[in-house]
Amino acid sequence: EALEADPIGRVRELVSYCRQSDKRRVEFRKTILEGNEAQIWKDEEGNIVQLPCVQLLRDCETRWSSTFLMINRALHLYPVCTTALLASKYPLMLEVV
């Protein structure tokens, strides 16, 4: 069931949408910085973490590890993705997350 939902394709859509314009990239970065300042990012145990101020990565066919790196970065920044999307900064992508 999970594989039928095409998780890799959904991550690609999310990354593409968030990186589609400079404005979206700036908003994504701003969300990370504001979250770090407000200490809202937490790990699985509930400990406060500081997320690195990086962008989501795209994968490409010519790099064998790029899909892994794209998924790994998206999982690491998942709290930022959900925060930005739920704050209606990217209202059209709510069904992807």
Side-chain angles (χ1 to χ4, degrees):
E1 219 177 279
L3 292 176
E4 289 177 3
D6 188 23
I8 295 172
R10 294 182 135 211
V11 170
R12 281 186 185 122
E13 287 177 39
L14 175 66
V15 170
S16 177
Y17 190 82
C18 289
R19 293 182 56 111
Q20 204 167 35
S21 70
D22 284 337
K23 183 178 178 185
R24 289 183 186 160
R25 285 190 293 275
V26 168
E27 284 295 325
F28 193 82
R29 177 180 162 80
K30 185 177 171 186
T31 302
I32 293 172
L33 292 173
E34 288 173 355
N36 283 340
E37 187 176 311
Q39 298 183 336
I40 63 170
W41 312 128
K42 297 184 180 179
D43 62 11
E44 294 82 24
E45 291 88 34
N47 300 318
I48 295 171
V49 295
Q50 293 285 309
L51 294 178
C53 195
V54 294
Q55 291 292 320
L56 294 170
L57 296 173
R58 287 191 171 116
D59 66 338
C60 64
E61 293 179 17
T62 56
R63 291 194 60 199
W64 65 270
S65 62
S66 65
T67 302
F68 169 78
L69 294 172
M70 175 189 69
I71 293 169
N72 191 39
R73 176 73 58 89
L75 288 173
H76 192 69
L77 295 177
Y78 186 74
V80 179
C81 296
T82 56
T83 300
L85 294 174
L86 293 175
S88 298
K89 293 179 182 176
Y90 311 120
L92 300 176
M93 287 301 294
L94 283 175
E95 66 274 0
V96 172
V97 175

XYZ file of all heavy atoms in Angstrom:
788
model
N 0.824 -1.192 0.000
C 0.000 0.000 0.000
C 0.873 1.263 0.000
O 0.600 2.212 -0.719
C -0.902 -0.006 1.236
C -2.294 0.498 0.978
C -3.136 0.388 2.230
O -3.633 -0.723 2.502
O -3.272 1.411 2.906
N 1.905 1.236 0.842
C 2.788 2.406 0.932
C 3.522 2.639 -0.380
O 3.681 3.781 -0.819
C 3.787 2.225 2.068
N 3.958 1.576 -1.028
C 4.679 1.731 -2.291
C 3.769 2.175 -3.420
O 4.204 2.863 -4.344
C 5.385 0.425 -2.665
C 6.539 0.036 -1.747
C 7.104 -1.314 -2.152
C 7.608 1.100 -1.729
N 2.507 1.805 -3.361
C 1.559 2.250 -4.375
C 1.324 3.752 -4.309
O 0.939 4.372 -5.294
C 0.226 1.504 -4.218
C 0.314 0.050 -4.626
C -0.988 -0.693 -4.403
O -1.981 -0.073 -3.983
O -0.998 -1.907 -4.639
N 1.588 4.355 -3.163
C 1.435 5.802 -3.006
C 2.583 6.576 -3.642
O 2.559 7.800 -3.666
C 1.335 6.154 -1.523
N 3.598 5.872 -4.154
C 4.748 6.466 -4.831
C 5.457 7.503 -3.959
O 5.471 8.703 -4.253
C 4.320 7.101 -6.155
C 5.505 7.558 -7.005
O 6.616 7.021 -6.818
O 5.307 8.460 -7.832
N 6.057 7.054 -2.839
C 6.698 7.999 -1.925
C 7.848 8.785 -2.562
O 8.017 9.970 -2.265
C 7.193 7.116 -0.777
C 7.245 5.739 -1.332
C 6.196 5.676 -2.397
N 8.610 8.169 -3.435
C 9.721 8.884 -4.071
C 9.186 9.968 -5.002
O 9.685 11.094 -5.022
C 10.654 7.908 -4.810
C 11.321 6.987 -3.791
C 11.703 8.660 -5.626
C 12.125 5.858 -4.388
N 8.149 9.662 -5.723
C 7.532 10.660 -6.596
C 6.957 11.823 -5.802
O 7.052 12.982 -6.218
N 6.401 11.519 -4.645
C 5.840 12.588 -3.802
C 6.935 13.479 -3.224
O 6.766 14.678 -3.117
C 4.989 11.994 -2.691
C 3.763 11.327 -3.272
C 2.876 10.778 -2.213
N 1.543 11.204 -2.635
C 0.557 11.471 -1.837
N 0.701 11.367 -0.556
N -0.602 11.841 -2.305
N 8.063 12.875 -2.870
C 9.184 13.684 -2.385
C 9.691 14.573 -3.516
O 9.980 15.752 -3.308
C 10.321 12.794 -1.823
C 11.568 13.618 -1.537
C 9.870 12.070 -0.568
N 9.776 14.021 -4.728
C 10.195 14.829 -5.881
C 9.257 16.012 -6.100
O 9.693 17.124 -6.369
C 10.229 13.975 -7.140
C 11.438 13.113 -7.260
C 11.489 12.388 -8.605
N 12.605 11.489 -8.616
C 12.525 10.177 -8.815
N 11.352 9.620 -9.042
N 13.608 9.436 -8.798
N 7.961 15.777 -5.985
C 6.980 16.860 -6.140
C 7.167 17.924 -5.067
O 7.131 19.127 -5.358
C 5.557 16.311 -6.041
C 5.099 15.513 -7.232
C 3.699 14.959 -7.009
O 2.853 15.685 -6.422
O 3.450 13.815 -7.406
N 7.360 17.493 -3.834
C 7.551 18.421 -2.722
C 8.806 19.274 -2.939
O 8.770 20.492 -2.814
C 7.659 17.660 -1.404
C 7.981 18.505 -0.173
C 6.831 19.444 0.134
C 8.284 17.600 1.003
N 9.913 18.623 -3.283
C 11.169 19.333 -3.516
C 11.016 20.312 -4.672
O 11.419 21.476 -4.587
C 12.322 18.338 -3.780
C 13.567 19.058 -4.260
C 12.612 17.515 -2.533
N 10.420 19.846 -5.749
C 10.226 20.701 -6.918
C 9.381 21.918 -6.565
O 9.698 23.048 -6.954
C 9.569 19.901 -8.035
O 9.313 20.713 -9.142
N 8.317 21.697 -5.825
C 7.425 22.800 -5.460
C 8.126 23.807 -4.555
O 8.026 25.014 -4.756
C 6.171 22.257 -4.775
C 5.117 23.301 -4.579
C 4.251 23.635 -5.609
C 4.999 23.973 -3.376
C 3.282 24.614 -5.437
C 4.039 24.946 -3.190
C 3.181 25.266 -4.223
O 2.240 26.240 -4.056
N 8.852 23.315 -3.550
C 9.517 24.209 -2.599
C 10.671 24.979 -3.231
O 11.025 26.055 -2.772
C 10.018 23.421 -1.396
S 8.701 22.828 -0.328
N 11.260 24.431 -4.285
C 12.403 25.083 -4.928
C 12.017 25.795 -6.216
O 12.877 26.281 -6.942
C 13.480 24.044 -5.229
C 14.114 23.460 -3.988
C 15.179 22.487 -4.366
N 16.167 23.115 -5.222
C 17.416 23.381 -4.874
N 17.820 23.070 -3.669
N 18.251 23.945 -5.707
N 10.744 25.880 -6.511
C 10.269 26.399 -7.787
C 10.595 27.874 -8.014
O 10.771 28.303 -9.131
C 8.765 26.177 -7.886
C 8.226 26.133 -9.262
C 6.814 25.590 -9.252
O 6.051 25.830 -8.322
N 6.475 24.850 -10.280
N 10.686 28.654 -6.964
C 10.970 30.080 -7.129
C 11.862 30.561 -5.993
O 11.970 29.919 -4.948
C 9.667 30.884 -7.141
O 9.084 30.889 -5.853
N 12.488 31.707 -6.217
C 13.320 32.296 -5.167
C 12.497 32.621 -3.930
O 12.973 32.457 -2.803
C 14.002 33.570 -5.678
C 15.173 33.278 -6.588
O 15.737 32.162 -6.493
O 15.529 34.149 -7.398
N 11.286 33.078 -4.142
C 10.423 33.431 -3.012
C 10.168 32.213 -2.120
O 10.223 32.310 -0.889
C 9.100 34.007 -3.513
C 8.190 34.455 -2.409
C 6.921 35.049 -2.944
C 6.011 35.443 -1.789
N 4.730 35.926 -2.212
N 9.900 31.073 -2.730
C 9.649 29.861 -1.942
C 10.908 29.403 -1.221
O 10.845 28.960 -0.073
C 9.116 28.748 -2.840
C 7.712 29.022 -3.297
C 7.170 27.900 -4.124
N 5.865 28.273 -4.651
C 5.302 27.706 -5.687
N 5.914 26.736 -6.321
N 4.129 28.108 -6.103
N 12.066 29.502 -1.873
C 13.321 29.124 -1.227
C 13.616 30.047 -0.038
O 14.056 29.597 1.017
C 14.471 29.128 -2.226
C 14.433 27.924 -3.164
C 15.694 27.801 -3.976
N 15.868 28.876 -4.941
C 15.340 28.903 -6.157
N 14.600 27.898 -6.569
N 15.566 29.908 -6.962
N 13.353 31.329 -0.205
C 13.561 32.286 0.878
C 12.611 31.981 2.039
O 13.010 31.996 3.213
C 13.390 33.741 0.375
C 13.301 34.724 1.523
C 14.517 34.103 -0.572
N 11.360 31.694 1.734
C 10.382 31.364 2.786
C 10.771 30.076 3.522
O 10.618 29.983 4.741
C 8.982 31.213 2.194
C 8.325 32.531 1.856
C 8.041 33.384 3.085
O 7.722 32.830 4.153
O 8.161 34.608 2.967
N 11.283 29.112 2.788
C 11.712 27.855 3.397
C 12.865 28.119 4.357
O 12.857 27.660 5.502
C 12.130 26.861 2.304
C 12.281 25.455 2.786
C 11.184 24.632 2.914
C 13.532 24.946 3.108
C 11.323 23.330 3.360
C 13.684 23.653 3.555
C 12.571 22.837 3.677
N 13.842 28.890 3.909
C 14.983 29.254 4.756
C 14.518 30.034 5.986
O 14.966 29.785 7.106
C 15.978 30.069 3.942
C 17.170 30.560 4.703
C 18.101 31.359 3.774
N 19.023 32.195 4.486
C 20.145 31.791 5.044
N 20.471 30.527 4.975
N 20.936 32.638 5.663
N 13.604 30.955 5.776
C 13.072 31.767 6.873
C 12.361 30.885 7.902
O 12.490 31.108 9.109
C 12.110 32.812 6.304
C 11.569 33.785 7.300
C 10.679 34.802 6.602
C 9.945 35.647 7.609
N 8.973 36.539 6.965
N 11.641 29.885 7.441
C 10.950 28.959 8.343
C 11.958 28.199 9.202
O 11.748 28.024 10.410
C 10.067 27.977 7.545
O 9.135 28.715 6.767
C 9.322 27.024 8.459
N 13.061 27.766 8.602
C 14.102 27.069 9.366
C 14.677 27.996 10.435
O 14.791 27.622 11.603
C 15.228 26.560 8.441
C 14.705 25.462 7.510
C 16.407 26.023 9.275
C 15.695 25.041 6.446
N 15.048 29.208 10.027
C 15.669 30.150 10.964
C 14.726 30.524 12.103
O 15.130 30.566 13.271
C 16.123 31.406 10.217
C 17.283 31.204 9.235
C 17.535 32.471 8.434
C 18.537 30.755 9.960
N 13.470 30.791 11.773
C 12.493 31.140 12.814
C 12.249 29.970 13.764
O 12.101 30.156 14.968
C 11.180 31.584 12.177
C 11.258 32.938 11.511
C 10.001 33.301 10.740
O 9.077 32.456 10.625
O 9.940 34.434 10.235
N 12.197 28.762 13.210
C 12.012 27.577 14.050
C 13.191 27.328 14.966
O 13.023 26.946 16.125
N 14.402 27.552 14.457
C 15.593 27.409 15.294
C 15.587 28.443 16.417
O 15.904 28.128 17.562
C 16.872 27.553 14.459
C 17.180 26.309 13.664
O 16.698 25.222 13.954
N 17.993 26.465 12.634
N 15.225 29.659 16.075
C 15.201 30.730 17.073
C 14.150 30.467 18.151
O 14.387 30.685 19.337
C 14.928 32.073 16.395
C 15.056 33.262 17.315
C 14.872 34.574 16.575
O 15.517 34.753 15.530
O 14.073 35.393 17.050
N 12.984 29.983 17.726
C 11.899 29.702 18.671
C 12.046 28.332 19.334
O 11.252 27.982 20.206
C 10.550 29.782 17.958
N 13.046 27.572 18.916
C 13.327 26.231 19.444
C 12.119 25.300 19.336
O 11.752 24.621 20.291
C 13.823 26.319 20.890
C 15.112 27.083 21.022
C 15.643 27.096 22.441
O 14.887 26.934 23.405
N 16.938 27.279 22.579
N 11.509 25.278 18.161
C 10.335 24.405 17.970
C 10.679 23.057 17.352
O 9.856 22.155 17.374
C 9.244 25.096 17.121
C 9.745 25.401 15.716
C 8.732 26.337 17.810
C 8.659 25.859 14.773
N 11.889 22.916 16.807
C 12.253 21.645 16.173
C 12.699 20.661 17.246
O 13.534 20.970 18.084
C 13.368 21.826 15.153
C 13.165 22.961 14.197
C 14.042 23.957 13.932
C 12.026 23.214 13.361
N 13.527 24.814 12.998
C 12.296 24.387 12.624
C 10.806 22.576 13.169
C 11.388 24.923 11.718
C 9.903 23.115 12.261
C 10.194 24.258 11.552
N 12.126 19.470 17.207
C 12.449 18.446 18.202
C 12.721 17.116 17.520
O 12.183 16.837 16.456
C 11.297 18.299 19.192
C 11.068 19.577 19.963
C 10.010 19.429 21.006
C 9.910 20.790 21.684
N 8.942 20.879 22.685
N 13.536 16.282 18.164
C 13.803 14.944 17.641
C 12.752 13.967 18.163
O 11.781 14.371 18.815
C 15.234 14.497 17.965
C 15.516 14.408 19.463
O 14.566 14.477 20.271
O 16.691 14.268 19.829
N 12.958 12.683 17.908
C 11.975 11.666 18.292
C 11.772 11.572 19.798
O 10.696 11.211 20.267
C 12.400 10.282 17.759
C 12.383 10.161 16.263
C 13.648 10.733 15.628
O 14.706 10.794 16.309
O 13.573 11.141 14.475
N 12.827 11.891 20.573
C 12.730 11.836 22.024
C 12.178 13.121 22.630
O 12.018 13.224 23.843
C 14.102 11.542 22.651
C 14.616 10.140 22.391
C 15.403 10.061 21.097
O 16.084 11.047 20.738
O 15.319 9.024 20.429
N 11.944 14.133 21.813
C 11.423 15.393 22.300
C 12.484 16.417 22.653
O 12.174 17.472 23.198
N 13.743 16.103 22.354
C 14.829 17.045 22.622
C 14.853 18.123 21.542
O 14.657 17.841 20.361
C 16.179 16.320 22.643
C 16.232 15.245 23.699
O 15.771 15.435 24.813
N 16.778 14.098 23.341
N 15.129 19.343 21.944
C 15.201 20.457 21.000
C 16.446 20.305 20.145
O 17.531 20.016 20.647
C 15.216 21.797 21.750
C 13.892 21.994 22.492
C 15.484 22.954 20.803
C 13.865 23.160 23.434
N 16.280 20.483 18.834
C 17.409 20.409 17.903
C 17.449 21.673 17.053
O 16.431 22.326 16.835
C 17.322 19.166 16.984
C 17.440 17.892 17.776
C 16.045 19.168 16.178
N 18.629 22.009 16.608
C 18.826 23.112 15.671
C 19.006 22.495 14.287
O 19.944 21.722 14.072
C 20.079 23.916 16.044
C 19.966 24.655 17.360
C 19.073 25.879 17.225
O 19.248 26.702 16.349
N 18.103 25.978 18.111
N 18.104 22.809 13.376
C 18.224 22.278 12.019
C 19.178 23.137 11.208
O 19.217 24.358 11.365
C 16.852 22.249 11.342
C 15.835 21.285 11.934
C 14.518 21.391 11.199
C 16.350 19.863 11.893
N 19.961 22.507 10.338
C 20.857 23.288 9.487
C 20.048 24.100 8.485
O 18.982 23.676 8.034
C 21.711 22.230 8.786
C 20.881 20.997 8.815
C 20.054 21.077 10.068
N 20.548 25.251 8.153
C 19.846 26.128 7.211
C 20.248 25.741 5.788
O 21.116 26.360 5.179
C 20.177 27.581 7.515
S 19.038 28.694 6.705
N 19.622 24.673 5.289
C 19.904 24.137 3.961
C 18.597 23.982 3.195
O 17.514 23.987 3.781
C 20.640 22.779 4.046
C 22.029 22.942 4.639
C 19.842 21.770 4.849
N 18.716 23.842 1.903
C 17.550 23.645 1.051
C 17.338 22.162 0.785
O 18.238 21.340 0.989
C 17.736 24.374 -0.286
C 17.708 25.872 -0.178
C 16.331 26.400 0.195
O 15.308 25.918 -0.274
N 16.313 27.399 1.063
N 16.154 21.822 0.316
C 15.879 20.470 -0.121
C 16.699 20.188 -1.378
O 16.986 21.091 -2.163
C 14.388 20.306 -0.416
C 13.471 20.432 0.792
C 12.019 20.504 0.345
C 13.669 19.282 1.751
N 17.078 18.943 -1.561
C 17.892 18.557 -2.711
C 17.045 17.890 -3.778
O 16.126 17.138 -3.470
C 18.983 17.575 -2.278
C 20.025 18.092 -1.304
C 20.920 16.946 -0.866
C 20.832 19.195 -1.945
N 17.389 18.146 -5.023
C 16.774 17.430 -6.148
C 17.635 16.223 -6.480
O 18.835 16.229 -6.271
C 16.705 18.335 -7.372
C 15.680 19.407 -7.265
C 15.511 20.065 -8.631
N 14.384 20.958 -8.595
C 14.466 22.264 -8.760
N 15.623 22.831 -8.980
N 13.380 23.015 -8.711
N 17.006 15.202 -7.015
C 17.792 14.078 -7.507
C 18.007 14.227 -9.010
O 17.333 15.030 -9.660
C 17.137 12.744 -7.168
C 15.815 12.511 -7.873
O 15.173 13.498 -8.291
O 15.409 11.350 -7.981
N 18.967 13.513 -9.523
C 19.221 13.539 -10.961
C 19.648 12.143 -11.410
O 20.205 11.370 -10.630
C 20.263 14.590 -11.330
S 21.886 14.287 -10.653
N 19.374 11.832 -12.640
C 19.625 10.490 -13.157
C 21.104 10.144 -13.230
O 21.468 8.975 -13.172
C 19.004 10.349 -14.550
C 17.501 10.407 -14.539
C 16.915 10.296 -15.924
O 17.627 9.857 -16.845
O 15.745 10.651 -16.075
N 21.966 11.127 -13.383
C 23.384 10.848 -13.593
C 24.162 10.605 -12.304
O 25.304 10.183 -12.359
C 24.058 12.006 -14.357
O 23.847 13.218 -13.634
C 23.471 12.117 -15.757
N 23.561 10.869 -11.155
C 24.230 10.597 -9.875
C 23.500 9.464 -9.182
O 22.347 9.598 -8.799
C 24.221 11.842 -8.991
C 25.110 12.933 -9.538
C 25.370 14.013 -8.546
N 26.021 13.464 -7.355
C 26.035 14.102 -6.194
N 25.441 15.261 -6.063
N 26.637 13.569 -5.161
N 24.181 8.349 -8.989
C 23.532 7.157 -8.458
C 23.011 7.348 -7.046
O 22.046 6.709 -6.641
C 24.473 5.962 -8.538
C 25.694 6.090 -7.668
C 26.894 6.631 -8.023
C 25.818 5.700 -6.307
N 27.759 6.599 -6.967
C 27.131 6.025 -5.892
C 24.961 5.108 -5.388
C 27.591 5.773 -4.619
C 25.427 4.863 -4.108
C 26.728 5.194 -3.734
N 23.611 8.213 -6.250
C 23.171 8.375 -4.862
C 22.239 9.568 -4.659
O 21.821 9.837 -3.536
C 24.393 8.528 -3.957
O 25.118 9.681 -4.311
N 21.897 10.269 -5.724
C 21.135 11.506 -5.556
C 19.717 11.272 -5.018
O 19.213 12.106 -4.269
C 21.082 12.293 -6.859
O 20.361 11.588 -7.842
N 19.097 10.172 -5.364
C 17.758 9.890 -4.843
C 17.825 9.637 -3.336
O 17.003 10.152 -2.573
C 17.118 8.695 -5.563
O 17.060 8.981 -6.958
C 15.715 8.414 -5.054
N 18.827 8.881 -2.914
C 19.020 8.656 -1.476
C 19.251 9.976 -0.752
O 18.656 10.232 0.299
C 20.199 7.705 -1.241
C 20.621 7.644 0.196
C 19.897 6.900 1.121
C 21.732 8.341 0.635
C 20.266 6.870 2.446
C 22.121 8.301 1.966
C 21.388 7.559 2.868
N 20.107 10.828 -1.301
C 20.408 12.111 -0.676
C 19.173 13.011 -0.625
O 18.944 13.709 0.369
C 21.550 12.810 -1.406
C 22.908 12.107 -1.319
C 23.904 12.784 -2.250
C 23.414 12.075 0.098
N 18.363 12.989 -1.690
C 17.135 13.783 -1.729
C 16.176 13.331 -0.627
O 15.631 14.156 0.124
C 16.455 13.644 -3.097
C 15.109 14.331 -3.192
S 14.204 13.956 -4.705
C 13.777 12.232 -4.464
N 15.979 12.024 -0.507
C 15.060 11.491 0.501
C 15.588 11.752 1.909
O 14.836 12.157 2.801
C 14.817 9.984 0.268
C 14.053 9.783 -1.039
C 14.069 9.354 1.434
C 13.998 8.355 -1.504
N 16.884 11.549 2.110
C 17.487 11.778 3.415
C 17.317 13.232 3.855
O 16.945 13.504 4.999
C 18.971 11.391 3.372
C 19.592 11.353 4.737
O 18.975 10.907 5.704
N 20.826 11.814 4.832
N 17.568 14.171 2.958
C 17.427 15.596 3.294
C 15.958 15.929 3.573
O 15.644 16.662 4.500
C 17.962 16.444 2.150
C 17.816 17.942 2.288
C 18.744 18.594 3.289
N 20.145 18.401 3.055
C 20.920 19.181 2.313
N 20.413 20.233 1.701
N 22.197 18.912 2.175
N 15.037 15.370 2.766
C 13.613 15.633 2.973
C 13.146 15.089 4.330
O 12.374 15.741 5.037
C 12.786 15.035 1.844
N 13.626 13.921 4.712
C 13.266 13.371 6.020
C 13.836 14.221 7.147
O 13.167 14.463 8.151
C 13.765 11.928 6.148
C 13.013 10.890 5.325
C 13.719 9.545 5.406
C 11.572 10.772 5.776
N 15.059 14.686 6.968
C 15.700 15.515 7.990
C 14.960 16.846 8.151
O 14.828 17.355 9.263
C 17.162 15.748 7.608
C 17.974 16.331 8.697
N 18.306 15.638 9.837
C 18.524 17.558 8.838
C 19.017 16.412 10.630
N 19.164 17.592 10.044
N 14.472 17.404 7.043
C 13.783 18.692 7.078
C 12.258 18.553 7.057
O 11.550 19.533 6.849
C 14.236 19.558 5.892
C 15.699 19.982 5.911
C 16.033 20.759 4.652
C 16.024 20.798 7.150
N 11.758 17.364 7.295
C 10.313 17.134 7.265
C 9.534 18.071 8.184
O 8.495 18.600 7.784
C 10.004 15.671 7.580
C 8.545 15.339 7.436
C 7.974 15.218 6.169
C 7.727 15.175 8.546
C 6.628 14.932 6.019
C 6.379 14.888 8.403
C 5.839 14.759 7.139
O 4.511 14.484 6.995
N 10.025 18.336 9.409
C 9.277 19.290 10.258
C 9.147 20.664 9.612
O 8.124 21.332 9.760
C 10.108 19.362 11.542
C 10.920 18.123 11.562
C 11.167 17.762 10.130
N 10.163 21.091 8.905
C 10.119 22.388 8.232
C 9.091 22.349 7.104
O 8.314 23.286 6.929
C 11.503 22.772 7.663
C 11.453 24.108 6.955
C 12.541 22.779 8.766
N 9.080 21.249 6.357
C 8.124 21.102 5.250
C 6.699 21.178 5.762
O 5.878 21.916 5.213
C 8.338 19.780 4.528
S 9.933 19.611 3.721
N 6.403 20.439 6.813
C 5.027 20.441 7.318
C 4.658 21.786 7.923
O 3.540 22.251 7.757
C 4.811 19.326 8.353
O 5.757 19.466 9.413
C 4.951 17.963 7.719
N 5.601 22.426 8.608
C 5.324 23.740 9.190
C 5.039 24.766 8.110
O 4.077 25.527 8.191
C 6.510 24.208 10.064
O 6.706 23.262 11.108
C 6.251 25.576 10.658
N 5.868 24.789 7.071
C 5.678 25.751 5.980
C 4.370 25.492 5.248
O 3.636 26.419 4.923
C 6.853 25.680 5.010
N 4.060 24.226 5.017
C 2.835 23.904 4.280
C 1.596 24.179 5.109
O 0.605 24.705 4.604
C 2.860 22.452 3.827
C 3.940 22.122 2.805
C 3.962 20.626 2.543
C 3.716 22.870 1.515
N 1.637 23.833 6.382
C 0.464 24.052 7.232
C 0.253 25.522 7.555
O -0.846 25.925 7.891
C 0.583 23.229 8.513
C 0.514 21.720 8.293
C 0.758 20.983 9.605
C -0.804 21.302 7.686
N 1.302 26.321 7.433
C 1.171 27.763 7.661
C 0.618 28.453 6.413
O 0.604 29.669 6.333
C 2.518 28.358 8.041
N 0.170 27.675 5.454
C -0.421 28.166 4.209
C 0.559 28.952 3.344
O 0.151 29.737 2.510
C -1.661 29.018 4.490
O -2.643 28.255 5.112
N 1.849 28.735 3.553
C 2.821 29.353 2.664
C 2.799 28.646 1.311
O 3.088 29.232 0.294
C 4.217 29.300 3.277
C 4.337 30.178 4.516
C 5.707 30.094 5.121
C 5.752 30.940 6.383
N 7.022 30.833 7.073
N 2.485 27.350 1.335
C 2.394 26.559 0.112
C 1.091 25.765 0.139
O 1.094 24.554 0.275
C 3.568 25.582 -0.005
C 4.912 26.187 0.228
C 5.720 25.736 1.256
C 5.383 27.209 -0.583
C 6.976 26.284 1.461
C 6.628 27.754 -0.379
C 7.420 27.285 0.639
O 8.651 27.827 0.843
N -0.060 26.393 0.035
C -1.333 25.695 0.241
C -1.622 24.587 -0.773
O -2.347 23.665 -0.461
C -2.365 26.811 0.142
C -1.707 27.883 -0.652
C -0.244 27.795 -0.319
N -1.050 24.650 -1.958
C -1.365 23.652 -2.974
C -0.678 22.321 -2.748
O -1.010 21.339 -3.377
C -0.991 24.193 -4.363
C -1.710 25.472 -4.774
C -1.194 25.953 -6.126
C -3.204 25.245 -4.834
N 0.309 22.255 -1.845
C 1.074 21.038 -1.645
C 0.642 20.237 -0.429
O 1.260 19.251 -0.099
C 2.575 21.379 -1.517
C 3.217 21.778 -2.817
S 3.100 20.511 -4.088
C 4.107 19.215 -3.401
N -0.408 20.609 0.245
C -0.814 19.907 1.461
C -1.099 18.436 1.226
O -0.836 17.600 2.083
C -2.039 20.584 2.084
C -1.743 21.861 2.850
C -3.041 22.501 3.300
C -0.845 21.608 4.029
N -1.620 18.079 0.055
C -1.934 16.671 -0.193
C -0.689 15.826 -0.402
O -0.719 14.628 -0.252
C -2.879 16.517 -1.391
C -2.287 16.932 -2.723
C -2.423 18.420 -3.014
O -2.979 19.172 -2.204
O -1.951 18.829 -4.081
N 0.443 16.422 -0.738
C 1.673 15.684 -0.960
C 2.266 15.228 0.354
O 2.726 14.121 0.501
C 2.701 16.524 -1.761
C 4.048 15.836 -1.820
C 2.171 16.790 -3.150
N 2.295 16.122 1.340
C 2.887 15.790 2.639
C 1.929 14.883 3.371
O 2.210 13.946 3.946
C 3.180 17.058 3.451
C 3.667 16.713 4.829
C 4.181 17.905 2.735
